[in-house]
Amino acid sequence: MEQFRIKGQTLRTQAKDLVLEYMKNELSCAENEKGMTQADIFRNCGFDWGDYPASKSTQQQFWLVALLKELEEEKKITQLENKHWRLV
């Protein structure tokens, strides 16, 4: 079962790298800019599976919160008062 935990950790690392790379290439996420919503980051990074019964697109994005909080803890991004995210 350890192999699955390792694969999961690899996926989480890849997802963080993807989000950070995306934000570095998105002008609104630059330092001193307005930032971008969690929902927009989620969709623009291709994490949206579309709408399903009991699993609408808007409900799928909540796992991204932990990813963004980790990047914030690593001092790579910050959440603004308007709830948007941008690079530090």
Side-chain angles (χ1 to χ4, degrees):
M1 290 304 176
E2 180 69 10
Q3 68 188 14
F4 296 105
R5 191 188 64 74
I6 292 169
K7 284 182 179 182
Q9 178 61 45
T10 300
L11 286 171
R12 287 191 303 276
T13 299
Q14 290 172 345
K16 281 174 44 181
D17 291 345
L18 174 68
V19 167
L20 194 56
E21 181 181 352
Y22 170 75
M23 291 180 75
K24 287 179 179 179
N25 286 283
E26 176 59 46
L27 292 177
S28 64
C29 292
E31 187 178 346
N32 299 319
E33 291 297 329
K34 64 178 181 164
M36 182 174 276
T37 66
Q38 167 189 308
D40 286 335
I41 293 169
F42 177 78
R43 283 188 212 92
N44 293 339
C45 285
F47 295 135
D48 188 346
W49 290 78
D51 286 333
Y52 289 93
S55 182
K56 300 291 184 205
S57 173
T58 55
Q59 297 169 314
Q60 296 169 16
Q61 63 181 294
F62 291 110
W63 71 271
L64 187 69
V65 174
L67 184 154
L68 294 170
K69 290 295 187 180
E70 280 207 6
L71 289 173
E72 183 178 43
E73 191 174 289
E74 294 170 7
K75 310 254 187 271
K76 294 178 180 175
I77 65 172
T78 189
Q79 187 175 29
L80 306 173
E81 288 182 20
N82 65 3
K83 304 291 184 188
H84 289 195
W85 293 90
R86 72 174 182 208
L87 299 169
V88 174

